[in-house]
């Protein structure tokens, strides 16, 4: 009898705990559901949270030449194996798969994945042996691709036709990142051998090298990634783990140390001047505000919001695309704005 | 999400431990009810005069020398909109006492504010209903009775809203709320008491909702099913319009709806267009096309029509509200990313009242911005 009562007490306790868990579960994850398919957005506002998990892209259906995706005949499913570089704008998401050595174009509106180049074109351009790490979609929807083996950057239109080649045999050896200043149209290419950034005009003319001296103060050694932000050009240094901010002409503005970083991967800066750096050592995204670590997001794992080797990130308006390479997926996060100042009493 | 998963696992583990499932289920539901009651008990009633507070900010669009068409009329954020008389006349001594004691009851409670407003509607008497997907509730800014009501329970046992997205006015003063996670449209009376569900087992992910008052038809955008479902006022499924595709009359993730002047306007989000249907369900017009420039669409969301038949579309990608004439010609835009008057961060719904006030749910800024339409002529 006593045993039974204690059992029921246990049950009540369990049930209560379960209830608590259930209610906190309900409280912690709710989606607005406007995004179709498996894509669900967590929109619950919680204090100070910056990255809100939206969805993951593991692959998609082929859609080449087919107008209606609901009437696909013989549709083929593509699965991402190891997406290492990406760039997004509007409905266009370009993803380079390092395992398949294919540059994909993903149509976000139609959940459709297609090869951006045919294999023949890929081989013709000699890109198949080159591990591209830098991708950039410009506002005119042309796409810039680094070709480290040939020491050049190629610019294609949306249909995959080559428009411009950016090369400088004396100054550009192994390009690892490319960004375009949309105002001036200048193309910034970071070089992992010389440790500097080569600036090209839109037509392909080399104009300038930034950081060409070595070892001076305010100078980086090896840029793992570059990006633009409110204060100019941001560079994350692989060796010193410092973040350097400079004007677009290369004038140093300021820098800050980030001793928390183990192995920096990609850098992104949002319009509120918050700096996001992926750390490939502990599989997190570290967010810096005013030169100080504000938040560490993620950790090793395959659950949503966890990562396994984030090699690249791309910010399109308020959506962050994360190349979660060894999980074989791209994760999407909504970026919440800083809290609004409370209205005056 | 990671936390959610582990919680789910523990939840399952906890259940498998138990032998008497029925008993546990009962206890569980009692616990849930108790918990929700606890949550309700803490709720404060906010009364006072409803104010938009737009007088402090003088903004017009388009800027001079153009003829102004819109004036900033304020914002809805929550209890700040209710100028409470009792608080206003609080004596200085009471304030000092508050300060000395520190934690007075009003300070301890978190303020009743919008977190992620999604969409809304205004009834004939001027009550403003706003859905909030983070607060999981419908906020009722009741300027008539001078009260802010927060409706978060949808059934008699107190089960809460999960994700209220769309809201529309139903027959006989009812309020219809589409909950995308519950997969139903909830019918509520004017006091927020639940009356029942529409579309159980039929709707997959209902988002936008609109009603044709003349014919007594309720249109629901089923985003996941890529179609519109039409119900009569009794909740019977009358018709399903469309399927996934790009052709006229087909949809790719339809979201927001509005019904105005015998026409149904549907935001066909992933097709980057607005489709306009007549009251019989035939597609009459398609507005907008995909593109990155202002006036084009990437992620169109809210849709509304004013008394001059101008069409308003929220373009959430660019943080803009776009205005078109009734033929679908682009007129102008208000927007930009930020927190100032006329700026947004990931806006969602737009709706209009009988005074031609345009309400925009500025979702990630946790507010509803209000613009006064000044008229289009001359």
């Amino acid at each position: 009898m006593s045993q039974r009562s204690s059992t029921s007490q246990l049950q009540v306790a369990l049930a209560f705990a379960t209830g608590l868990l259930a209610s906190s579960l309900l409280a912690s994850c709710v989606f607005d559901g406007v995004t179709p398919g498996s894509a669900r957005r967590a929109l619950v506002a919680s204090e100070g949270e910056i990255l809100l998990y939206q969805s993951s892209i593991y692959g998609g259906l082929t859609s080449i030449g087919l107008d209606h995706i609901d009437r696909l005949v013989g549709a083929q499913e593509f699965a991402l194996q190891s997406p290492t570089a990406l760039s997004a704008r509007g409905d266009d998401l370009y993803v380079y798969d390092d395992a398949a050595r294919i540059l994909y174009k993903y149509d976000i509106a139609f959940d459709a994945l297609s090869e951006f180049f045919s294999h023949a074109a890929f081989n013709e351009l000699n890109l198949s042996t080159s591990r591209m790490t830098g991708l950039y979609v410009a506002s005119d929807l042309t796409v810039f691709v680094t070709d480290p083996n040939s020491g050049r950057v190629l610019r294609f239109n949306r249909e995959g036709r080559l428009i411009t080649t950016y090369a400088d045999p004396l100054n550009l050896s192994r390009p690892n990142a490319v960004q375009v200043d949309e105002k001036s149209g200048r193309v910034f290419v970071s070089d992992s051998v010389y440790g500097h950034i080569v600036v090209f005009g839109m037509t392909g003319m080399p104009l300038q090298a930034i950081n060409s001296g070595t070892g001076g103060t305010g100078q980086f050694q090896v840029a793992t990634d570059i990006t633009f932000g409110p204060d100019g050009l941001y560079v994350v240094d692989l060796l010193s783990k410092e973040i350097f901010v400079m004007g677009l002409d290369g004038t140093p503005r300021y820098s800050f140390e980030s001793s928390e970083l183990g192995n920096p991967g990609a850098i992104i800066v949002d319009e509120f001047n918050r700096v996001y750096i992926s750390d490939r050592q502990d599989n997190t995204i570290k967010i810096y505000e005013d030169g100080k670590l504000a938040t560490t997001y993620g950790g090793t794992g395959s659950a949503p919001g966890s990562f396994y080797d984030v090699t690249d990130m791309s910010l399109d308006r308020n959506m962050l695309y994360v190349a979660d390479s060894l999980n074989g997926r791209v994760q999407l996060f909504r970026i919440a704005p800083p809290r609004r100042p409370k209205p005056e009493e | 999400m990671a936390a959610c998963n582990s919680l789910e696992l523990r939840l399952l583990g906890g259940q498998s431990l138990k032998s008497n499932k029925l008993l546990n289920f009962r206890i569980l539901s009692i616990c849930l009810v108790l918990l929700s009651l606890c949550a309700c008990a803490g709720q404060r009633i906010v009364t006072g005069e409803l104010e938009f507070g737009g007088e402090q900010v003088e903004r017009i669009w388009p800027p001079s020398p153009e003829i102004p068409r819109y004036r900033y009329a304020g914002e809805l954020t929550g209890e700040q909109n209710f100028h409470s008389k009792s608080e206003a006349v609080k004596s200085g001594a009471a304030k000092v006492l508050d300060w000395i004691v520190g934690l007075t009851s009003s300070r301890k409670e978190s303020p009743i504010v919008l977190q992620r407003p999604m969409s809304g509607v205004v009834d004939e008497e001027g009550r403003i209903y706003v859905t909030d997907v983070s607060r999981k509730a419908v906020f009722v800014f009741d300027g008539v009775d001078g009260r802010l009501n927060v409706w978060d329970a949808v059934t008699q046992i107190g089960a809460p809203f999960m994700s209220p997205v769309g809201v529309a006015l139903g027959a006989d003063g009812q309020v219809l709320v589409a909950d995308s996670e519950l997969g139903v449209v909830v019918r509520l009376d004017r006091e927020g008491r639940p009356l029942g569900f529409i579309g159980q087992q039929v709707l997959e992910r209902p988002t936008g909702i609109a009603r044709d008052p003349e014919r007594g038809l309720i249109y629901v955008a089923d985003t996941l099913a890529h179609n519109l479902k039409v119900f009569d006022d009794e909740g019977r499924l009358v018709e399903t319009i469309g399927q996934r595709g790009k052709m006229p009359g087909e949809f790719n993730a339809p979201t927001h709806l509005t019904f105005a002047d015998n026409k149904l306007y549907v935001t066909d989000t992933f097709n980057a267009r607005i489709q306009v249907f007549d009251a019989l369900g035939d597609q009459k017009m398609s507005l907008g096309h995909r593109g990155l420039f202002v006036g084009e669409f990437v992620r169109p969301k809210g849709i509304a029509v004013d008394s001059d038949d101008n069409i308003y579309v929220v373009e959430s990608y660019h943080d803009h509200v776009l205005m078109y004439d009734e033929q679908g010609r682009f007129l102008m835009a208000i927007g930009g990313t930020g927190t100032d008057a006329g700026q947004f961060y990931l806006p969602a719904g737009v709706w209009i009242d009988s005074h031609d006030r345009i309400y925009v749910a500025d979702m990630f800024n946790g507010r509803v911005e209000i613009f006064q339409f000044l008229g289009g002529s001359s």
Side-chain angles (χ1 to χ4, degrees):
Chain A
M1 189 62 198
S2 66
Q3 196 181 0
R4 184 180 288 174
S5 77
S6 73
T7 313
S8 71
Q9 272 174 7
L10 183 68
Q11 282 180 339
V12 169
L14 265 174
F16 190 73
T18 320
L20 271 173
L21 281 172
S23 61
S24 55
L25 179 76
L26 292 176
S28 59
C29 51
V30 156
F31 314 94
D32 80 327
V34 172
T35 313
S38 57
R40 296 171 155 198
R41 330 161 146 192
L43 290 174
V44 174
S46 70
E47 204 72 40
E49 200 172 10
I50 298 173
L51 292 180
L52 303 170
Y53 175 77
Q54 296 286 295
S55 59
S56 294
I57 299 168
Y58 288 89
L61 294 170
T62 50
S63 71
I64 310 157
L66 292 168
D67 265 345
H68 309 294
I69 53 168
D70 57 327
R71 290 171 208 149
L72 280 180
V73 181
Q76 194 190 339
E77 185 106 23
F78 268 108
L80 294 172
Q81 296 175 56
S82 177
T84 51
L86 53 74
S87 185
R89 193 179 293 264
D91 286 316
D92 291 354
L93 169 65
Y94 291 88
V95 183
Y96 175 67
D97 192 314
D98 190 53
R101 302 282 176 91
I102 294 172
L103 179 60
Y104 290 112
K105 184 176 167 186
Y106 180 80
D107 185 328
I108 295 164
F110 282 92
D111 184 31
L113 195 68
S114 54
E115 285 181 42
F116 185 55
F117 304 111
S118 67
H119 271 295
F122 215 61
N123 290 330
E124 208 173 294
L125 288 164
N126 223 357
L127 284 167
S128 53
T129 54
S130 210
R131 295 192 122 105
M132 54 183 75
T133 53
L135 279 176
Y136 183 83
V137 196
S139 57
D140 60 1
L141 298 178
T142 58
V143 57
F144 293 76
V145 173
T146 58
D147 178 7
N149 280 8
S150 308
R152 59 186 182 168
V153 170
L154 305 171
R155 180 183 174 209
F156 299 90
N157 71 3
R158 275 187 100 207
E159 284 68 48
R161 199 162 57 83
L162 181 66
I163 299 173
T164 320
T165 301
Y166 302 85
D168 180 356
L170 291 176
N171 293 303
L172 195 60
S173 174
R174 279 192 81 80
N176 66 345
V178 56
Q179 292 281 306
V180 178
D181 173 38
E182 300 284 350
K183 287 197 186 83
S184 65
R186 284 183 296 169
V187 181
F188 290 65
V189 182
S190 132
D191 188 304
S192 60
V193 170
Y194 297 128
H196 63 194
I197 294 166
V198 183
V199 186
F200 293 91
M202 202 59 168
T203 52
M205 169 86 78
L207 301 174
Q208 182 194 358
I210 293 173
N211 198 61
S212 44
T214 45
T217 48
Q219 291 207 314
F220 55 88
Q221 298 168 67
V222 179
T224 50
D225 198 13
I226 61 174
T227 192
F228 292 109
D231 288 342
L233 177 66
Y234 297 66
V235 176
V236 57
D237 191 340
L238 179 68
L239 299 176
S240 73
K241 298 174 181 44
E242 263 180 286
I243 288 93
F244 294 91
V245 185
M246 54 200 82
L248 296 191
D249 57 352
T251 319
R253 286 193 175 157
Y254 59 89
S255 65
F256 57 90
E257 281 195 43
S258 48
S259 50
E260 309 87 1
L261 281 175
N263 183 9
I267 182 167
I268 284 294
V269 180
D270 71 15
E271 61 192 301
F272 309 105
N273 213 13
R274 295 178 295 197
V275 180
Y276 304 70
I277 299 168
S278 71
D279 192 338
R280 299 172 66 175
Q281 186 164 295
D282 59 2
N283 294 309
T284 58
I285 294 172
K286 298 198 163 82
I287 305 171
Y288 293 84
E289 288 176 64
D290 303 322
K292 286 183 202 67
L293 182 68
T295 317
T296 300
Y297 186 92
T300 310
S302 58
S306 298
F307 308 107
Y308 196 7
D309 202 9
V310 174
T311 48
D312 201 4
M313 297 190 287
S314 172
L315 182 65
D316 182 35
R317 300 288 303 166
N318 48 43
M319 192 76 93
L320 182 71
Y321 296 79
V322 178
D324 189 7
S325 63
L326 295 183
N327 279 325
R329 66 183 175 186
V330 174
Q331 290 195 63
L332 278 63
F333 297 88
R334 198 65 89 174
I335 289 186
R339 299 223 134 225
R340 282 212 301 157
K342 295 243 165 73
E344 298 287 317
E345 285 298 310
Chain B
M1 273 308 290
C4 291
N5 279 356
S6 66
L7 282 174
E8 223 159 0
L9 285 174
R10 274 194 272 172
L11 192 65
L12 290 171
Q15 273 170 350
S16 67
L17 277 175
K18 286 163 272 169
S19 51
N20 192 335
K21 279 183 181 167
L22 194 65
L23 172 73
N24 284 318
F25 180 71
R26 274 184 204 153
I27 295 167
L28 175 68
S29 36
I30 290 165
C31 288
L32 278 172
V33 169
L34 280 173
L35 276 166
S36 57
L37 280 177
C38 293
C40 292
Q43 202 162 302
R44 240 166 355 120
I45 297 160
V46 177
T47 57
E49 213 170 304
L50 177 59
E51 283 175 5
F52 298 152
E55 300 81 35
Q56 296 129 14
V57 186
E58 189 66 43
R59 280 296 304 272
I60 50 163
W61 291 270
S64 64
E66 305 286 327
I67 302 163
R69 309 287 185 190
Y70 299 92
R71 181 172 54 77
Y72 186 67
E75 61 179 30
L76 297 174
T77 53
E79 63 177 81
Q80 291 98 327
N81 290 103
F82 287 85
H83 198 70
S84 168
K85 291 181 191 79
S86 59
E87 270 181 28
V89 296
K90 206 170 201 177
S91 71
K95 275 183 189 163
V96 171
L97 195 66
D98 279 0
W99 181 74
I100 292 168
V101 176
L103 297 168
T104 61
S105 63
S106 66
R107 259 153 224 238
K108 243 160 77 179
E109 286 160 3
S110 55
I112 301 170
V113 290
L114 290 169
Q115 293 175 352
R116 297 271 189 263
M118 181 59 91
S119 67
V121 71
V122 184
D123 71 13
E124 309 87 64
E125 292 166 272
R127 290 183 194 89
I128 307 160
Y129 303 86
V130 183
T131 57
D132 189 319
V133 288
S134 171
R135 182 62 184 75
K136 292 170 241 164
V138 178
F139 282 63
V140 187
F141 294 85
D142 190 339
V144 184
D145 294 340
R147 264 190 315 163
L148 173 62
N149 295 323
V150 181
W151 300 347
D152 46 14
V154 297
T155 65
Q156 280 80 358
I157 61 154
F161 280 116
M162 293 279 284
S163 174
V165 176
V167 57
L169 301 172
D172 311 321
Q174 287 177 13
V175 179
L176 307 168
V177 180
D179 191 304
S180 66
E181 283 294 304
L182 295 174
V184 292
V185 172
V186 185
R187 282 199 318 204
L188 304 138
D189 70 8
R190 198 160 267 175
E191 305 304 313
R193 283 184 294 259
L195 301 171
F197 298 120
I198 295 174
Q200 274 172 299
Q201 318 297 331
V202 175
L203 294 166
E204 287 181 55
R205 188 171 289 272
T207 51
I209 184 166
R211 180 169 173 268
D212 174 358
E214 233 168 78
R215 293 164 193 80
L217 293 176
I218 299 161
Y219 294 90
V220 182
D222 198 340
T223 305
L224 200 53
H226 304 283
N227 59 26
L228 303 183
K229 300 214 164 76
V230 191
F231 300 89
D232 63 15
D233 277 336
E234 278 69 53
R236 286 184 295 260
L237 181 68
V238 180
E239 200 192 343
T240 300
I241 301 173
Q243 56 176 332
R244 190 170 198 190
K246 292 187 203 173
M247 299 295 281
E250 296 183 327
F251 303 105
N252 189 13
T255 52
H256 293 256
L257 304 181
T258 194
F259 192 90
D261 199 21
N262 268 320
K263 280 181 278 195
L264 177 72
Y265 297 77
V266 183
T267 305
D268 191 4
T269 299
F270 273 5
N271 278 332
R273 64 182 176 185
I274 306 295
Q275 294 197 63
V276 186
F277 295 82
D278 65 15
L280 302 171
D282 293 322
Q283 202 247 32
K284 289 288 160 199
M285 189 176 89
S286 177
L287 187 164
H289 58 271
R290 201 180 293 278
L292 288 171
F293 296 102
V294 176
E296 300 178 315
F297 293 145
V298 182
R299 295 281 177 272
K301 290 290 170 67
I303 172 93
V305 180
D306 70 15
S307 63
D308 280 5
D309 290 330
N310 296 314
I311 303 165
Y312 299 75
V313 183
V314 170
E315 173 47 66
S316 63
Y317 179 84
H318 285 299
D319 297 321
H320 270 74
V321 184
L322 310 174
M323 290 78 164
Y324 300 82
D325 69 7
E326 58 183 312
Q327 273 96 48
R329 287 178 297 220
F330 178 57
L331 298 174
M332 61 171 286
I334 294 178
T337 307
T339 57
D340 286 351
Q343 293 185 325
F344 310 103
Y345 196 100
L346 200 63
V350 57
W351 64 98
I352 295 173
D353 68 10
S354 56
H355 303 288
D356 268 340
R357 280 188 289 238
I358 302 35
Y359 299 79
V360 182
D362 186 9
M363 189 161 58
F364 270 49
N365 281 329
R367 63 175 177 177
V368 173
E369 287 193 73
I370 308 167
F371 305 90
Q372 177 67 56
F373 179 49
L374 303 170
S377 54
S378 72

